[in-house]
Amino acid sequence: MFGFIEGVAAIPDWIERIAFLDANYNFDARHVAKLTDWLHRSERNTLVALAYDDREIMLDGKKVVSDSGGTWRATHRMIDALQGAFPFTIDTLGDFLRYRSGQVELLLHPNPANRILHTEMIGEMNGYMHALLVRRPGYDGSVLRASRAYSPFVEAGLSLPAAAPMAIPARPHAAMTGSAFIASLAGQSRDGIEASIARELRAGNIPSFLRTLRTVEASGVGPDSAKHVVAYEVMPDYLAIGSDDDFVRMPMTPYTAQAFCEMHGFALPTRKMVNDIWAAATTHLDPRPLTVDRDSARTFLQHHRIIEEQLAGVPRGAFVAGIKKDVVVTNKLLERGQRVAIYGWHYVNGQPIQPLYTGHVDWYVDYSHGIRPVRSMMHVDGVSWTFEKLMANPALAYLVSDEPAPAVARYDR
């Protein structure tokens, strides 16, 4: 708020109310002239501040504010600075000490119990409501009290829709091709490479065919002895950087992959899901392992080109499997910290080269690792479930995991 005030020559006329809700700790003399001018410019303009005595409050054995900081001291600075132009009368309102002068109302809670009162003061004591109602016709200050004034207006049983994930941005016209991106990684550190991958993914520099998802269905009989069916959508191929004509399937750390997935409403699969995705795919290739410079960007490109040779004649965007080891989520990540779990790379007969494995540290990436984003919103018997809630449901988790009591649905550092 002070940044806005400092960034304009004068507070605009369209602002009619400024309310600092325990937030005026940066107030100083440079703000006085603009606030005074704004208040004098129109009688309708109103300045409100709420604060509490935060000078001695402690958290984890340490003071929360410095010996000169906090909103209690800032409000007193505000009082001292404004009282020449706006002589204050002092009274009390509920538990607050109130300084009033026409268009200005500054409220201070003495906080005798020396507690952290910020959220309580703004919410439970109705400070937010009071700040919006001050000087409005018919308002007498009665909502500023120790109990909620808004409880009668809270609707029971109200369910809000889930927040929609951000769509993957359209690929920028001038975005790097896959081969150009690989070339740009030369000489970069491991962290620099991951940052570059994350930058391109955030910008939407992925082939268009990855945006057309494919549906996978799996079924089974659960603990309730009833058959259930789960359906979820997956990218038809592994996450890549570049254009449809020049892209590279891009290995990356699980954290870079997790960040992309969560931003756009995806999850990383389990071992069972990898098997089900392989079974649902329409194009299966035999693995082509490499053994030299496994973790170099040049090898990432080399392996990608091998896959492209295998796919000669297959339409772009075909539902492909058997070309990478999947980065997966698994309970085995609880056994050893800071690991990446990989599984898969199936032969055309359905047998995987790679058993479920957590022997690599979490920063290790090699050419064989692939990221297959799975839409986190799934459907069980036609009912919507998020992947994490499904994993946590003991009666239905078997539809997406072959581990008993699956507990890991994402990568956390």
Side-chain angles (χ1 to χ4, degrees), residues 182 186 293 295-303:
I182 290 293
D293 294 331
D295 58 351
S296 79
R298 292 189 305 274
T299 307
F300 298 172
L301 180 59
Q302 178 188 3
H303 187 242

Side-chain angles (χ1 to χ4, degrees), residues 226-248:
K227 181 181 178 181
H228 300 283
V229 179
V230 65
Y232 49 85
E233 295 179 312
V234 304
M235 284 190 177
D237 204 326
Y238 288 91
L239 192 56
I241 289 175
S243 67
D244 283 8
D245 298 323
D246 186 345
F247 66 94
V248 176

Side-chain angles (χ1 to χ4, degrees), residues 7 10 49 55 80 97 118 142 156 206 210 220 224 261 299 303 334 346 361:
R55 293 173 294 178
D80 293 341
L97 185 64
H118 176 88
S142 59
I206 70 171
L210 290 179
D224 59 358
C261 286
T299 307
H303 187 242
L334 299 174
H346 296 66
V361 295

Side-chain angles (χ1 to χ4, degrees), residues 50 93-96 107 109 120-130 133 139-153:
L50 284 89
L93 180 62
D95 293 332
F96 289 80
L107 295 139
H109 192 291
E120 185 174 338
M121 180 176 70
I122 305 309
E124 304 303 304
M125 297 181 185
N126 313 295
Y128 173 71
M129 292 178 64
H130 176 79
L133 292 171
Y139 178 60
D140 59 2
S142 59
V143 303
L144 196 64
R145 57 177 187 263
S147 59
R148 290 183 179 184
Y150 50 89
S151 293
F153 304 102

Side-chain angles (χ1 to χ4, degrees), residues 254-255 257-258 261-262 266-274 326-334 339-343 356-358 370-372 374 378 387-388 391 400-403 406-412:
Y255 306 116
Q258 186 75 55
C261 286
E262 292 190 349
F266 291 95
L268 292 171
T270 64
R271 173 174 58 187
K272 181 184 186 304
M273 292 164 70
V274 170
D326 282 77
V327 174
V328 297
V329 292
T330 169
N331 284 358
K332 289 176 71 67
L333 292 168
L334 299 174
R339 299 283 159 166
V340 58
I342 53 176
Y343 170 76
L356 185 60
Y357 180 70
T358 56
I371 305 300
R372 176 89 73 168
V374 178
M378 304 178 170
F387 172 61
E388 291 199 6
M391 287 277 280
V400 290
S401 176
D402 57 12
E403 296 182 294
V408 178
R410 63 186 310 279
Y411 279 85
D412 287 307

Side-chain angles (χ1 to χ4, degrees), residues 135-203:
R135 301 187 68 227
R136 298 193 188 277
Y139 178 60
D140 59 2
S142 59
V143 303
L144 196 64
R145 57 177 187 263
S147 59
R148 290 183 179 184
Y150 50 89
S151 293
F153 304 102
V154 177
E155 293 189 31
L158 180 66
S159 296
L160 297 177
M166 184 175 74
I168 301 172
R171 184 174 182 269
H173 177 71
M176 281 191 287
T177 62
S179 54
F181 177 69
I182 290 293
S184 75
L185 302 181
Q188 289 198 40
S189 66
R190 184 172 61 233
D191 289 344
I193 290 173
E194 285 302 309
S196 296
I197 295 169
R199 181 194 66 231
E200 296 303 307
L201 294 178
R202 283 196 302 270

